[in-house]
Amino acid sequence: MPVHAITLRFEPGDHVPEHEHGRAQLLHPIAGVVIVSTQMGRWMVPPDHALWIPAGVRHSVDMIGHVEMQSVYVKSDAMPGLPMHLHVTGVTPLLRSLSEEIVRQGPDNDDARSGLIQALLLHEIPRLPKRPLGLPLPAHPGLARLCRSFISAPSARLEIDEWAARTGMSRRTFTRLFRQETGLSLSAWRQQACVMAALPRLTAGDAVTVVALDLGYDSMPAFTTMFSRVMGAPPKAYLNNQKAA
């Protein structure tokens, strides 16, 4: 079968050690938040989102909150045009319904209806909207050290000149190298890191104002503006949409 799917449940703080799959994996948390780490970076996957992990990519998984997670495993040659890179996507109602039905059918159902459902799911995967919840890590050792340190204590108060000085580069050289290594400006990377730090806390019920101040924002409106820019909606509206999904 080109596609099979399972549902798993995890406790808060559970950790799945580094591993890899022979098939591509579409990892979709139904409840809770999942952090996936690879040598290339970290990806946060909240409910109503999924992470496409190509076959052979080694990764570990950490659970935030009680996690119910659906994994769809896809043969890499199941259909031309499947994604080749790891990235976070939104989950459409159609994909959610198709994957739930494949889980319900089980791995041994190979009738015509099952084949049609799997084929439709394969065509839906490349159409999933991308979401900016990845945090690529640079290969450059100096930049990587700065990024890992920032991830452990993210803050809105990050200055390009300070990081450039700590790596012994000019501002122009640092800016060019950082974008070359990560595909993002330092400002965009910082914002995504702050969202990744904020979202698990907001999901757990922490007040927006408290989270904003802890991340170094001068006010809740400043944090809300940044969050809306990255996630497409302010924090409360975004969380309400997740609950209603």
Side-chain angles (χ1 to χ4, degrees):
M1 295 175 64
V3 178
H4 71 86
I6 60 173
T7 299
L8 300 170
R9 292 173 177 81
F10 299 92
E11 296 298 314
D14 279 357
H15 172 75
V16 178
E18 190 175 67
H19 63 287
E20 64 184 75
H21 303 288
R23 294 182 175 216
Q25 178 185 12
L26 189 69
L27 184 156
H28 167 219
I30 300 168
V33 175
V34 172
I35 302 290
V36 176
S37 301
T38 76
Q39 289 186 341
M40 299 174 287
R42 304 174 80 217
W43 284 261
M44 181 173 62
V45 197
D48 207 34
H49 293 72
L51 180 68
W52 176 259
I53 308 173
V57 174
R58 294 193 62 78
H59 60 282
S60 61
V61 187
D62 291 281
M63 316 301 165
I64 299 175
H66 291 276
V67 171
E68 181 178 354
M69 184 173 69
Q70 197 170 86
S71 285
V72 179
Y73 297 97
V74 180
K75 284 187 175 181
S76 298
D77 60 354
M79 188 187 79
L82 289 173
M84 300 298 292
H85 63 287
L86 192 151
H87 62 283
V88 178
T89 74
V91 172
T92 61
L94 177 57
L95 184 125
R96 185 184 299 112
S97 296
L98 292 170
S99 58
E100 287 174 354
E101 180 61 17
I102 292 173
V103 170
R104 191 192 66 78
Q105 289 179 349
D108 300 322
N109 193 325
D110 59 356
D111 61 18
R113 178 175 178 272
S114 177
L116 290 171
I117 291 171
Q118 292 183 41
L120 185 54
L121 181 140
L122 289 172
H123 280 82
E124 185 70 1
I125 288 173
R127 299 172 61 88
L128 297 176
K130 292 184 180 180
R131 294 288 185 258
L133 290 172
L135 203 61
L137 293 176
H140 184 280
L143 296 184
R145 281 194 297 272
L146 287 173
C147 289
R148 293 183 187 279
S149 176
F150 185 85
I151 289 170
S152 66
S155 170
R157 305 181 190 281
L158 167 60
E159 299 294 336
I160 293 178
D161 290 335
E162 178 188 346
W163 275 33
R166 291 170 64 180
T167 54
M169 302 179 195
S170 68
R171 179 189 178 98
R172 183 177 180 180
T173 299
F174 176 89
T175 300
R176 184 177 65 249
L177 181 61
F178 193 89
R179 185 180 288 277
Q180 178 182 314
E181 291 273 321
T182 66
L184 298 170
S185 68
L186 180 60
S187 176
W189 189 92
R190 170 182 56 79
Q191 290 177 358
Q192 292 182 198
C194 286
V195 168
M196 289 182 67
L199 196 51
R201 293 184 57 186
L202 295 171
T203 302
D206 286 7
V208 176
T209 300
V210 172
V211 174
L213 295 177
D214 285 350
L215 288 173
Y217 284 86
D218 294 328
S219 65
M220 187 177 76
F223 171 77
T224 297
T225 298
M226 180 279 296
F227 190 97
S228 299
R229 186 182 301 117
V230 174
M231 299 302 294
K236 290 183 179 179
Y238 177 84
L239 293 172
N240 287 336
N241 289 339
Q242 302 311 304
K243 292 175 183 177

